[in-house]
């Protein structure tokens, strides 16, 4: 990756927040330059990371104050996302850096996660504060394909700035290009559960990084791979919130799948399997539901 520059298209119109976003990407860019410079010591990287962490916490505080000042309805969930990043993600990354004595691999992982998290968070959460991304109310989970297709299209427009067309309402598990895969299970209304199986081609995720950096990604590297994985995980969480999951879903190690694991899970049977096309790649959305608390579990009854 050649450089990291903020795309002013993603300004939300609040100076203190927009300035912070531009500065955060500038700091990440400087750290990348430090990492490439063989003359830079691990101490310089350590100090740069400390500065990035400190600036991020200051930004979170200012952003949260602004949300409170306008009585933003999504404040509680937004703050939880900030807290999780501060109390879990950063702590884990910092431990990895120290244990490896700031190795190149751990530095690249740190920068990839931070770059991906900032990109996804700004696209999915920060733009929503001022309505630049549609603040959509959670939906009752509906078996109607037309309803699901509309929700998926809205979500991909919000996150990736692309329109999604339902290419196949009876997807049979055919291979797509290299991508990311996941599954999740969570509660829905009326004593039910839903299981989602998602897949997305890499170019669609890479597009979001290039958009916010105002530059096409001419070549992939480890940092971009990590950033793309982070954005996919955030899309994964976003999907659970769209379908009335009241808590912030935290993916576990078993929720993120390889292509082989995806195909194995897919073969267990999903009554609704949809394939969406965009100008940058495909998106797979499969689901099934069942009743709990004494109801007979029968995922195949979903569309009856």
């Amino acid at each position: 990756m050649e450089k990291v520059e903020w795309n002013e298209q993603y300004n939300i119109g609040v100076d203190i927040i927009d300035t912070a976003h531009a500065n955060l990407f500038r700091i990440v860019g400087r750290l990348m330059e430090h990492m490439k410079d063989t003359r830079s010591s691990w101490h310089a990287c350590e100090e740069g990371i400390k500065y990035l962490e400190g600036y991020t916490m200051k930004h979170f505080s200012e952003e949260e104050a602004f949300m409170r000042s306008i009585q933003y309805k999504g404040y509680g969930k937004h703050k939880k996302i900030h807290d999780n990043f501060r109390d879990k993600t950063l702590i884990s990354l910092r431990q990895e850096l120290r244990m490896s004595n700031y190795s190149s691999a751990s530095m690249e992982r740190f920068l990839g996660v931070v770059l991906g998290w900032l990109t996804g968070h700004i696209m999915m959460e920060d733009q929503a504060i001022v309505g630049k991304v549609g603040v959509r109310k959670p939906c009752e989970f509906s078996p109607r394909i037309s309803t699901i297709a509309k929700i998926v299209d809205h979500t991909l427009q919000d996150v990736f700035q692309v329109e999604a067309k339902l290419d196949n309402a009876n997807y049979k598990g055919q291979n797509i290009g290299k991508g990311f895969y996941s599954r999740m299970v969570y509660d829905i209304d009326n004593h039910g559960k839903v299981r989602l199986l998602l897949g997305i081609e890499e170019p669609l995720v890479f597009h979001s990084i290039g958009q916010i950096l105002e530059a096409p990604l001419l070549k992939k590297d480890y940092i971009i791979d990590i950033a793309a994985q982070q954005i996919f995980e955030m899309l994964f969480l976003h999907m659970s919130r769209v379908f009335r999951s009241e808590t912030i879903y935290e993916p576990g190690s078993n929720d993120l799948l390889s292509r082989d694991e995806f195909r194995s899970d897919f073969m267990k049977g999903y009554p609704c399997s949809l394939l969406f096309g965009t100008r940058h790649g495909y998106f797979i959305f499969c689901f099934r539901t069942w009743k709990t608390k004494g109801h007979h579990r029968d995922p195949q009854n979903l569309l009856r």
Side-chain angles (χ1 to χ4, degrees):
M1 187 171 186
E2 296 303 318
K3 60 181 178 178
V4 173
E5 292 184 0
W6 171 247
N7 184 350
E8 292 185 358
Q9 174 187 338
Y10 290 91
N11 284 348
I12 70 171
V14 180
D15 286 345
I16 196 169
I17 293 175
D18 294 335
T19 298
H21 287 164
N23 285 338
L24 283 167
F25 278 87
R26 193 174 297 117
I27 295 166
V28 171
R30 287 175 184 163
L31 279 168
M32 287 183 175
E33 291 172 5
H34 271 310
M35 192 180 64
K36 292 176 184 176
D37 186 356
T38 56
R39 295 168 297 177
S40 292
S41 66
W42 68 266
H43 179 70
C45 293
E46 181 183 35
E47 291 302 309
I49 287 170
K50 284 181 182 177
Y51 181 73
L52 173 63
E53 290 178 345
Y55 192 90
T56 302
M57 296 309 105
K58 177 176 178 288
H59 165 58
F60 284 176
S61 178
E62 291 170 345
E63 190 171 270
E64 289 163 13
F66 174 76
M67 287 189 285
R68 291 193 299 271
S69 75
I70 63 171
Q71 298 182 324
Y72 177 53
K73 291 182 179 179
Y75 171 78
K77 286 186 176 179
H78 197 127
K79 187 178 186 307
K80 283 183 181 178
I81 293 170
H82 284 175
D83 292 345
N84 280 347
F85 184 71
R86 180 193 65 219
D87 299 335
K88 295 181 179 179
T89 304
L90 279 180
I91 288 175
S92 175
L93 290 170
R94 192 184 304 120
Q95 288 174 341
E96 183 180 337
L97 283 166
R98 288 172 179 167
M99 289 179 66
S100 71
N101 199 24
Y102 288 77
S103 68
S104 295
S106 63
M107 279 289 297
E108 288 180 338
R109 175 167 168 73
F110 178 92
L111 292 171
V113 170
V114 170
L115 179 62
W117 192 91
L118 287 172
T119 300
H121 184 70
I122 290 168
M123 284 182 155
M124 293 178 228
E125 307 296 338
D126 290 348
Q127 296 286 309
I129 295 173
V130 294
K132 286 199 170 186
V133 163
V135 183
R136 311 188 191 283
K137 294 181 180 179
C139 307
E140 297 288 350
F141 198 94
S142 168
R144 294 179 59 186
I145 290 176
S146 61
T147 301
I148 295 295
K150 185 180 294 185
I151 292 169
V152 170
D153 182 36
H154 286 164
T155 300
L156 294 185
Q157 285 189 48
D158 286 349
V159 178
F160 300 118
Q161 312 289 305
V162 296
E163 292 185 3
K165 176 185 176 183
L166 180 59
D167 279 1
N168 190 340
N170 191 27
Y171 172 69
K172 296 294 187 182
Q174 301 94 325
N175 281 337
I176 60 173
K178 187 176 180 183
F180 302 97
Y181 303 94
S182 68
R183 66 185 161 212
M184 68 173 91
V185 180
Y186 57 85
D187 296 330
I188 54 175
D189 294 342
N190 300 319
H191 308 296
K193 285 186 176 291
V194 63
R195 184 182 183 99
L196 300 183
L197 188 66
L198 309 179
I200 188 168
E201 284 191 307
E202 278 188 350
L204 185 49
V205 185
F206 294 148
H207 167 71
S208 67
I209 304 174
Q211 280 281 102
I212 212 162
L213 299 179
E214 202 173 15
L217 298 179
L218 301 178
K219 62 179 182 178
K220 286 172 36 182
D221 57 27
Y222 182 62
I223 292 176
I224 293 301
D225 282 339
I226 294 295
Q229 179 74 44
Q230 187 71 19
I231 291 171
F232 173 65
E233 290 182 28
M234 296 172 81
L235 172 66
F236 181 33
L237 305 184
H238 191 72
M239 279 291 182
S240 70
R241 292 168 60 194
V242 168
F243 292 110
R244 284 200 180 278
S245 177
E246 293 302 320
T247 59
I248 296 177
Y249 192 97
E250 295 187 24
S253 58
N254 293 329
D255 295 328
L256 302 174
L257 310 176
S258 67
R259 182 184 295 188
D260 287 343
E261 289 170 333
F262 169 85
R263 289 185 62 79
S264 176
D265 196 288
F266 181 86
M267 295 307 292
K268 294 176 183 176
Y270 282 81
C272 189
S273 302
L274 311 178
L275 179 68
F276 294 88
T278 77
R279 67 180 184 272
H280 296 286
Y282 286 105
F283 179 74
I284 300 167
F285 185 93
C286 310
F287 68 93
R288 54 181 172 168
T289 65
W290 62 89
K291 296 291 185 179
T292 57
K293 292 189 177 180
H295 293 83
H296 176 63
R297 175 174 172 165
D298 184 4
Q300 302 300 326
N301 282 335
L302 173 62
L303 299 178
R304 294 178 188 173

